[in-house]
Amino acid sequence: DTAVSQTPKYLVTQMGNDKSIKCEQNLGHDTMYWYKQDSKKFLKIMFSYNNKELIINETVPNRFSPKSPDKAHLNLHINSLELGDSAVYFCASSRGRDLGYEQYFGPGTRLTVT
Amino acid sequence: GESVGLHLPTLSVQEGDNSIINCAYSNSASDYFIWYKQESGKGPQFIIDIRSNMDKRQGQRVTVLLNKTVKHLSLQIAATQPGDSAVYFCAERFGNEKLTFGTGTRLTIIP
């Protein structure tokens, strides 16, 4: 009955590698998000998609590329990984973009770049 | 016990006591505010929200207070329980713009 799921939960990789994190929601929501949480627990939005259309693209290096094959999925691909990319990445979804639509978060993917 | 959120990121409260977590938000035009709870190893979980046309909203054991004059938000948790131990985030939003999260306050309930 997982509402928002992410895979993998842990990802350890070396600098320079390319990796992907997958996200799926079974809530029938139209809007999905990727957030990055650093070691000090600061949570910052990276991207948002509404009905497969990119609507928020924060100042994120273009090594990060989100892809939404359908409304239920929003994957995050990261090229040429750097040490500073180490963080916990959260996927979230909401029914829509309007006020009052609660965001549901996934369990997070802890990325460690060595 | 009370915390100033951004300035005192940790708060310890005796089980059964009430706790108050404070948050100073940045955008005077923000019209929607949310409190999230994040337990260790999990994603943030919605607790309660409030729109800018209200100054108080109550949920089960939680109350959010909004003071727009000083751009201040607080979360009151009544009769705290061990399960309330977590990091609490306030978040603000203007219109359909992105949610902006505060830095979080770690609440520890002492048995």
PDB file of all heavy atoms in Angstrom, chain B residues 30-48:
ATOM      1  N   SER B  30       3.576  35.219   1.390  1.00  0.00           N
ATOM      2  CA  SER B  30       3.196  33.808   1.496  1.00  0.00           C
ATOM      3  C   SER B  30       1.780  33.703   2.032  1.00  0.00           C
ATOM      4  O   SER B  30       1.398  34.414   2.968  1.00  0.00           O
ATOM      5  CB  SER B  30       4.167  33.051   2.414  1.00  0.00           C
ATOM      6  OG  SER B  30       5.434  32.931   1.798  1.00  0.00           O
ATOM      7  N   ASP B  31       0.997  32.820   1.419  1.00  0.00           N
ATOM      8  CA  ASP B  31      -0.404  32.723   1.820  1.00  0.00           C
ATOM      9  C   ASP B  31      -0.795  31.315   2.278  1.00  0.00           C
ATOM     10  O   ASP B  31      -1.972  31.044   2.534  1.00  0.00           O
ATOM     11  CB  ASP B  31      -1.323  33.183   0.680  1.00  0.00           C
ATOM     12  CG  ASP B  31      -0.972  32.539  -0.649  1.00  0.00           C
ATOM     13  OD1 ASP B  31      -0.181  31.572  -0.651  1.00  0.00           O
ATOM     14  OD2 ASP B  31      -1.498  33.004  -1.675  1.00  0.00           O
ATOM     15  N   TYR B  32       0.187  30.448   2.374  1.00  0.00           N
ATOM     16  CA  TYR B  32      -0.116  29.086   2.799  1.00  0.00           C
ATOM     17  C   TYR B  32       1.084  28.562   3.554  1.00  0.00           C
ATOM     18  O   TYR B  32       2.229  28.716   3.109  1.00  0.00           O
ATOM     19  CB  TYR B  32      -0.412  28.236   1.557  1.00  0.00           C
ATOM     20  CG  TYR B  32      -0.791  26.816   1.830  1.00  0.00           C
ATOM     21  CD1 TYR B  32      -1.868  26.481   2.640  1.00  0.00           C
ATOM     22  CD2 TYR B  32      -0.083  25.765   1.232  1.00  0.00           C
ATOM     23  CE1 TYR B  32      -2.220  25.164   2.871  1.00  0.00           C
ATOM     24  CE2 TYR B  32      -0.426  24.447   1.463  1.00  0.00           C
ATOM     25  CZ  TYR B  32      -1.499  24.154   2.267  1.00  0.00           C
ATOM     26  OH  TYR B  32      -1.852  22.847   2.490  1.00  0.00           O
ATOM     27  N   PHE B  33       0.822  27.906   4.688  1.00  0.00           N
ATOM     28  CA  PHE B  33       1.896  27.435   5.550  1.00  0.00           C
ATOM     29  C   PHE B  33       1.588  26.015   6.014  1.00  0.00           C
ATOM     30  O   PHE B  33       0.415  25.671   6.262  1.00  0.00           O
ATOM     31  CB  PHE B  33       2.034  28.351   6.771  1.00  0.00           C
ATOM     32  CG  PHE B  33       2.215  29.794   6.411  1.00  0.00           C
ATOM     33  CD1 PHE B  33       1.115  30.613   6.209  1.00  0.00           C
ATOM     34  CD2 PHE B  33       3.483  30.324   6.248  1.00  0.00           C
ATOM     35  CE1 PHE B  33       1.275  31.945   5.856  1.00  0.00           C
ATOM     36  CE2 PHE B  33       3.654  31.651   5.903  1.00  0.00           C
ATOM     37  CZ  PHE B  33       2.548  32.461   5.699  1.00  0.00           C
ATOM     38  N   ILE B  34       2.634  25.225   6.116  1.00  0.00           N
ATOM     39  CA  ILE B  34       2.465  23.820   6.501  1.00  0.00           C
ATOM     40  C   ILE B  34       3.526  23.450   7.531  1.00  0.00           C
ATOM     41  O   ILE B  34       4.664  23.947   7.472  1.00  0.00           O
ATOM     42  CB  ILE B  34       2.637  22.875   5.288  1.00  0.00           C
ATOM     43  CG1 ILE B  34       1.825  23.335   4.094  1.00  0.00           C
ATOM     44  CG2 ILE B  34       2.262  21.444   5.654  1.00  0.00           C
ATOM     45  CD1 ILE B  34       2.072  22.495   2.847  1.00  0.00           C
ATOM     46  N   TRP B  35       3.151  22.580   8.435  1.00  0.00           N
ATOM     47  CA  TRP B  35       4.120  21.950   9.330  1.00  0.00           C
ATOM     48  C   TRP B  35       4.257  20.491   8.923  1.00  0.00           C
ATOM     49  O   TRP B  35       3.264  19.795   8.712  1.00  0.00           O
ATOM     50  CB  TRP B  35       3.666  22.035  10.784  1.00  0.00           C
ATOM     51  CG  TRP B  35       3.961  23.351  11.422  1.00  0.00           C
ATOM     52  CD1 TRP B  35       3.088  24.383  11.614  1.00  0.00           C
ATOM     53  CD2 TRP B  35       5.215  23.780  11.965  1.00  0.00           C
ATOM     54  NE1 TRP B  35       3.723  25.427  12.234  1.00  0.00           N
ATOM     55  CE2 TRP B  35       5.026  25.082  12.464  1.00  0.00           C
ATOM     56  CE3 TRP B  35       6.474  23.192  12.077  1.00  0.00           C
ATOM     57  CZ2 TRP B  35       6.050  25.817  13.076  1.00  0.00           C
ATOM     58  CZ3 TRP B  35       7.496  23.913  12.665  1.00  0.00           C
ATOM     59  CH2 TRP B  35       7.274  25.202  13.166  1.00  0.00           C
ATOM     60  N   TYR B  36       5.531  20.067   8.820  1.00  0.00           N
ATOM     61  CA  TYR B  36       5.833  18.680   8.520  1.00  0.00           C
ATOM     62  C   TYR B  36       6.625  18.073   9.678  1.00  0.00           C
ATOM     63  O   TYR B  36       7.393  18.758  10.354  1.00  0.00           O
ATOM     64  CB  TYR B  36       6.693  18.557   7.246  1.00  0.00           C
ATOM     65  CG  TYR B  36       5.928  18.665   5.956  1.00  0.00           C
ATOM     66  CD1 TYR B  36       5.718  19.901   5.349  1.00  0.00           C
ATOM     67  CD2 TYR B  36       5.413  17.532   5.338  1.00  0.00           C
ATOM     68  CE1 TYR B  36       5.027  20.001   4.148  1.00  0.00           C
ATOM     69  CE2 TYR B  36       4.721  17.629   4.139  1.00  0.00           C
ATOM     70  CZ  TYR B  36       4.530  18.870   3.559  1.00  0.00           C
ATOM     71  OH  TYR B  36       3.839  18.964   2.372  1.00  0.00           O
ATOM     72  N   LYS B  37       6.464  16.775   9.841  1.00  0.00           N
ATOM     73  CA  LYS B  37       7.213  16.011  10.833  1.00  0.00           C
ATOM     74  C   LYS B  37       8.059  14.986  10.089  1.00  0.00           C
ATOM     75  O   LYS B  37       7.550  14.301   9.201  1.00  0.00           O
ATOM     76  CB  LYS B  37       6.242  15.283  11.765  1.00  0.00           C
ATOM     77  CG  LYS B  37       6.875  14.297  12.734  1.00  0.00           C
ATOM     78  CD  LYS B  37       5.773  13.541  13.491  1.00  0.00           C
ATOM     79  CE  LYS B  37       6.366  12.544  14.475  1.00  0.00           C
ATOM     80  NZ  LYS B  37       5.306  11.761  15.178  1.00  0.00           N
ATOM     81  N   GLN B  38       9.341  14.913  10.424  1.00  0.00           N
ATOM     82  CA  GLN B  38      10.202  13.925   9.790  1.00  0.00           C
ATOM     83  C   GLN B  38      10.865  13.060  10.853  1.00  0.00           C
ATOM     84  O   GLN B  38      11.705  13.525  11.623  1.00  0.00           O
ATOM     85  CB  GLN B  38      11.269  14.591   8.914  1.00  0.00           C
ATOM     86  CG  GLN B  38      12.096  13.579   8.123  1.00  0.00           C
ATOM     87  CD  GLN B  38      13.129  14.228   7.225  1.00  0.00           C
ATOM     88  OE1 GLN B  38      13.478  15.394   7.372  1.00  0.00           O
ATOM     89  NE2 GLN B  38      13.631  13.469   6.263  1.00  0.00           N
ATOM     90  N   GLU B  39      10.469  11.796  10.870  1.00  0.00           N
ATOM     91  CA  GLU B  39      11.092  10.845  11.784  1.00  0.00           C
ATOM     92  C   GLU B  39      12.358  10.301  11.141  1.00  0.00           C
ATOM     93  O   GLU B  39      12.538  10.356   9.925  1.00  0.00           O
ATOM     94  CB  GLU B  39      10.109   9.719  12.099  1.00  0.00           C
ATOM     95  CG  GLU B  39       8.871  10.202  12.845  1.00  0.00           C
ATOM     96  CD  GLU B  39       7.863   9.105  13.083  1.00  0.00           C
ATOM     97  OE1 GLU B  39       8.002   8.360  14.061  1.00  0.00           O
ATOM     98  OE2 GLU B  39       6.926   8.998  12.270  1.00  0.00           O
ATOM     99  N   SER B  40      13.225   9.783  11.975  1.00  0.00           N
ATOM    100  CA  SER B  40      14.527   9.316  11.517  1.00  0.00           C
ATOM    101  C   SER B  40      14.376   8.266  10.419  1.00  0.00           C
ATOM    102  O   SER B  40      13.631   7.294  10.586  1.00  0.00           O
ATOM    103  CB  SER B  40      15.298   8.733  12.700  1.00  0.00           C
ATOM    104  OG  SER B  40      16.566   8.302  12.297  1.00  0.00           O
ATOM    105  N   GLY B  41      15.042   8.481   9.299  1.00  0.00           N
ATOM    106  CA  GLY B  41      15.027   7.512   8.209  1.00  0.00           C
ATOM    107  C   GLY B  41      13.778   7.536   7.353  1.00  0.00           C
ATOM    108  O   GLY B  41      13.592   6.663   6.499  1.00  0.00           O
ATOM    109  N   LYS B  42      12.920   8.537   7.569  1.00  0.00           N
ATOM    110  CA  LYS B  42      11.675   8.599   6.801  1.00  0.00           C
ATOM    111  C   LYS B  42      11.543   9.947   6.100  1.00  0.00           C
ATOM    112  O   LYS B  42      12.285  10.882   6.385  1.00  0.00           O
ATOM    113  CB  LYS B  42      10.476   8.379   7.723  1.00  0.00           C
ATOM    114  CG  LYS B  42      10.439   7.013   8.377  1.00  0.00           C
ATOM    115  CD  LYS B  42       9.182   6.850   9.209  1.00  0.00           C
ATOM    116  CE  LYS B  42       9.111   5.472   9.844  1.00  0.00           C
ATOM    117  NZ  LYS B  42       7.889   5.315  10.679  1.00  0.00           N
ATOM    118  N   GLY B  43      10.588  10.008   5.214  1.00  0.00           N
ATOM    119  CA  GLY B  43      10.306  11.260   4.542  1.00  0.00           C
ATOM    120  C   GLY B  43       9.423  12.161   5.395  1.00  0.00           C
ATOM    121  O   GLY B  43       8.789  11.703   6.344  1.00  0.00           O
ATOM    122  N   PRO B  44       9.376  13.458   5.089  1.00  0.00           N
ATOM    123  CA  PRO B  44       8.506  14.371   5.840  1.00  0.00           C
ATOM    124  C   PRO B  44       7.044  13.953   5.732  1.00  0.00           C
ATOM    125  O   PRO B  44       6.606  13.453   4.696  1.00  0.00           O
ATOM    126  CB  PRO B  44       8.736  15.714   5.149  1.00  0.00           C
ATOM    127  CG  PRO B  44      10.077  15.591   4.502  1.00  0.00           C
ATOM    128  CD  PRO B  44      10.178  14.161   4.088  1.00  0.00           C
ATOM    129  N   GLN B  45       6.319  14.183   6.801  1.00  0.00           N
ATOM    130  CA  GLN B  45       4.911  13.801   6.862  1.00  0.00           C
ATOM    131  C   GLN B  45       4.097  15.024   7.261  1.00  0.00           C
ATOM    132  O   GLN B  45       4.430  15.713   8.232  1.00  0.00           O
ATOM    133  CB  GLN B  45       4.740  12.687   7.893  1.00  0.00           C
ATOM    134  CG  GLN B  45       3.327  12.173   8.049  1.00  0.00           C
ATOM    135  CD  GLN B  45       3.231  11.135   9.156  1.00  0.00           C
ATOM    136  OE1 GLN B  45       4.179  10.915   9.900  1.00  0.00           O
ATOM    137  NE2 GLN B  45       2.084  10.510   9.277  1.00  0.00           N
ATOM    138  N   PHE B  46       3.049  15.286   6.513  1.00  0.00           N
ATOM    139  CA  PHE B  46       2.175  16.431   6.773  1.00  0.00           C
ATOM    140  C   PHE B  46       1.561  16.335   8.173  1.00  0.00           C
ATOM    141  O   PHE B  46       1.087  15.282   8.589  1.00  0.00           O
ATOM    142  CB  PHE B  46       1.072  16.438   5.711  1.00  0.00           C
ATOM    143  CG  PHE B  46      -0.001  17.462   5.926  1.00  0.00           C
ATOM    144  CD1 PHE B  46       0.098  18.705   5.336  1.00  0.00           C
ATOM    145  CD2 PHE B  46      -1.120  17.172   6.684  1.00  0.00           C
ATOM    146  CE1 PHE B  46      -0.909  19.643   5.502  1.00  0.00           C
ATOM    147  CE2 PHE B  46      -2.128  18.095   6.866  1.00  0.00           C
ATOM    148  CZ  PHE B  46      -2.020  19.337   6.276  1.00  0.00           C
ATOM    149  N   ILE B  47       1.582  17.463   8.906  1.00  0.00           N
ATOM    150  CA  ILE B  47       0.914  17.491  10.204  1.00  0.00           C
ATOM    151  C   ILE B  47      -0.329  18.360  10.141  1.00  0.00           C
ATOM    152  O   ILE B  47      -1.439  17.920  10.435  1.00  0.00           O
ATOM    153  CB  ILE B  47       1.832  18.070  11.300  1.00  0.00           C
ATOM    154  CG1 ILE B  47       3.126  17.273  11.424  1.00  0.00           C
ATOM    155  CG2 ILE B  47       1.102  18.091  12.641  1.00  0.00           C
ATOM    156  CD1 ILE B  47       4.105  17.913  12.389  1.00  0.00           C
ATOM    157  N   ILE B  48      -0.130  19.619   9.770  1.00  0.00           N
ATOM    158  CA  ILE B  48      -1.234  20.573   9.770  1.00  0.00           C
ATOM    159  C   ILE B  48      -0.865  21.741   8.872  1.00  0.00           C
ATOM    160  O   ILE B  48       0.319  22.047   8.690  1.00  0.00           O
ATOM    161  CB  ILE B  48      -1.541  21.052  11.212  1.00  0.00           C
ATOM    162  CG1 ILE B  48      -2.860  21.828  11.272  1.00  0.00           C
ATOM    163  CG2 ILE B  48      -0.390  21.869  11.793  1.00  0.00           C
ATOM    164  CD1 ILE B  48      -3.380  22.036  12.693  1.00  0.00           C
TER     165      ILE B  48
END
